[in-house]
Amino acid sequence: MKNLFPHLTLILIVLLSSCSNSDDINLAPIEDESISIVNAFPNLSFSRPLDLQSPNDDTNRIFVVEQRGTIKVFENDTDVADATTFFGISGSVTSSDELGLLGLAFHPNFEENGFFYVCYTPSSSLSVVSRFKAMDNNPNIADPNSETLLLQIPQPYTNHNGGQLGFGPDGYLYIASGDGGSGGDPDGNAQNLENLLGAILRIDVDNTDTNLNYSVPNDNPFVATQNARPEIYAYGLRNPWRFSFDTQNGNLWSGDVGQGEKEEINIIEKGGNYGWNILEGTSCYNAQDCDSAGTIAPVFEYGHGNNDRSVTGGYVYRGSLNPSLNGYYIYGDFISGRIWALDNVSSTTPTNKLLFETNLPIASFGTDQDNELYICSFDGKIYKIVEQRLP
C-alpha cells in the first residue's frame, strides 16, 4: 500500500485524456479561502479507518471500515455520539502492515437484498472477495454466517494487496488487485494475464458460471484470449490504492502507488495496459527492456519531493456543499498528507492545485449519499471538506 524512498522533485506532466467531459471544460478557479477541512464526527474515533461507504438506500448512514476487521455504522450527523459494529470478522483476518479488511461495496439493490461485499486477507498469502448479508430484521447488523466466497487471489508477498471494491454504472463489481508485492514486481505479475495480480477485475455478481459464485461479463476484454484470466478488465498496475467512478460520466479513476520515483493517477479503460513494471509512470523502470508500445500513460503523475511518496486515489467531486470543487478530481498522499485538486484533464493545460497541507496519514476518501467528500485518516478521525464560512 505504501512505500518510503528518497525525495525527488515534484513534477507535473501535462497529458491529454480522451475521457474528458465537456461539462467540466474551463472549471471555475478554486479560491484558497473558500474551503476547509473539519473533523466530520468529533465524538467518534476509529482504529485505522481505510474505507468509507454509504449504501444507496436513503438511510443517510455512514459505514467505516477498520483495517483490523470491523465495519462501524452510524448516522450521518455531526453530533452523532456512537458508532455500532455492523460487521466484525477480526478473528478471521490477518491484519498488519498492508494486510487486513481492505474494501467494502454495497450491492446496488442493497435496500432489497441486504448484500454487501468485502475484500480481506485471511492469511498473509491470500486475499479473498466475499459476499455477506445484513440481517433481515436489523439493517445495522450483518450476519457473520452469511459468507459466500467469490474470489481467492494468492499473494506471493504481504504488500500491494489493493482491495478496493466498487460497483460501476454497468452494475458489475470492480476489484483492485495489487501486483503481489515485494519491490519492482519481481515475478512480473502485472504484465501477466494468467493471474489476477496487478489489475482491475470486473465480475457479474448477479449471475453464476459453472463452478463459480459469479459470472464473467461477456464483454470483458480478455474473455477470448488464450490462457488469460477473463475477470481482468485492465492491467499493468502496481498497487491501485483507491479507485472511484465519476457519478456524472462514469469515468473510472484510480491512484497507483509508485515504486521509488513516481505516483500516478489513471483513468482506467477496458483492456488498458498501464505499463507497470515496464514503466513507472511515464519513466522507464526496466532500462534494459522498456518497450512501452500499447501502454496507457497516466493522466497525471508526481514525484517524491515534498515528502509526497504514496498516492491515495480520490473522487471527482459531485456534491453541492463545495461548488468551487465541482468537476475536480480530489486526491491525496498518505505520507505527506497533502491534498490536491486535479482539473479532470479537460483542457490542453490541466492544472493540479494544492488544497491542503494536512500532515495527516490519508488512507482513503469516501462519499456519502449526497456525494459529499470525506477523508479517512489513520489518526482515527474522519474529516470532511466544507465551504469556509467567513465571519
Side-chain angles (χ1 to χ4, degrees), residues 49-244:
L50 49 63
D51 200 6
L52 183 150
Q53 300 290 338
S54 294
N56 184 26
D57 64 357
D58 294 322
T59 61
N60 200 24
R61 290 178 294 168
I62 298 287
F63 292 76
V64 172
V65 177
E66 296 180 317
Q67 186 179 356
R68 65 183 182 182
T70 59
I71 300 174
K72 298 295 183 64
V73 60
F74 52 94
E75 183 182 357
N76 186 6
D77 184 332
T78 300
D79 297 324
V80 64
D82 296 299
T84 61
T85 297
F86 168 71
F87 177 73
I89 55 169
S90 57
S92 302
V93 173
T94 296
S95 176
S96 63
D97 298 324
E98 299 182 22
L99 305 170
L101 180 58
L102 302 175
L104 165 68
F106 292 98
H107 192 282
N109 294 322
F110 174 75
E111 186 175 7
E112 289 77 31
N113 61 30
F115 291 156
F116 65 97
Y117 301 80
V118 295
C119 179
Y120 67 94
T121 55
S123 72
S124 61
S125 60
L126 184 69
S127 294
V128 302
V129 176
S130 288
R131 185 190 76 197
F132 287 84
K133 188 179 186 301
M135 294 292 238
D136 292 332
N137 60 353
N138 190 341
N140 283 331
I141 299 177
D143 181 354
N145 299 314
S146 62
E147 182 172 16
T148 298
L149 181 64
L150 300 183
L151 275 177
Q152 298 186 80
I153 306 175
Q155 298 289 343
Y157 303 94
T158 60
N159 55 341
H160 305 174
N161 296 289
Q164 178 79 38
L165 304 176
F167 281 91
D170 53 14
Y172 296 134
L173 180 64
Y174 290 71
I175 303 160
S177 177
D179 67 5
S182 190
D185 192 10
D187 301 326
N189 291 317
Q191 292 296 317
N192 182 2
L193 293 174
E194 295 185 16
N195 64 46
L196 298 177
L197 298 170
I200 301 293
L201 315 176
R202 182 174 75 154
I203 62 175
D204 179 355
V205 299
D206 293 324
N207 296 283
T208 58
D209 288 337
T210 303
N211 298 322
L212 297 174
N213 288 325
Y214 62 91
S215 67
V216 174
N218 292 330
D219 65 340
N220 268 16
F222 303 107
V223 166
T225 301
Q226 188 174 7
N227 297 325
R229 289 296 300 259
E231 297 92 344
I232 295 174
Y233 183 80
Y235 67 108
L237 298 162
R238 182 176 179 273
N239 190 26
W241 187 247
R242 297 332 196 193
F243 67 73
S244 65

Side-chain angles (χ1 to χ4, degrees), residues 274-286:
Y274 291 84
W276 177 252
N277 66 353
I278 301 168
L279 301 166
E280 182 183 3
T282 57
S283 297
C284 179
Y285 181 75
N286 187 343

Side-chain angles (χ1 to χ4, degrees), residues 208-333:
T208 58
D209 288 337
T210 303
N211 298 322
L212 297 174
N213 288 325
Y214 62 91
S215 67
V216 174
N218 292 330
D219 65 340
N220 268 16
F222 303 107
V223 166
T225 301
Q226 188 174 7
N227 297 325
R229 289 296 300 259
E231 297 92 344
I232 295 174
Y233 183 80
Y235 67 108
L237 298 162
R238 182 176 179 273
N239 190 26
W241 187 247
R242 297 332 196 193
F243 67 73
S244 65
F245 291 91
D246 185 340
T247 59
Q248 181 165 300
N249 58 33
N251 286 348
L252 174 53
W253 290 75
S254 178
D256 194 18
V257 179
Q259 180 65 51
E261 294 186 5
K262 294 181 177 179
E263 308 299 307
E264 60 185 83
I265 303 293
N266 296 295
I267 296 181
I268 302 296
E269 300 177 18
K270 183 168 69 174
N273 178 1
Y274 291 84
W276 177 252
N277 66 353
I278 301 168
L279 301 166
E280 182 183 3
T282 57
S283 297
C284 179
Y285 181 75
N286 187 343
Q288 295 180 340
D289 182 13
C290 197
D291 182 3
S292 61
T295 63
I296 299 176
V299 296
F300 184 79
E301 63 181 11
Y302 65 88
H304 286 186
N306 298 309
N307 204 33
D308 303 317
R309 290 175 285 174
S310 188
V311 66
T312 298
Y315 287 76
V316 175
Y317 182 75
R318 298 297 183 189
S320 60
L321 296 181
N322 302 289
S324 67
L325 295 182
N326 186 53
Y328 285 91
Y329 179 70
I330 312 300
Y331 70 100
D333 190 277

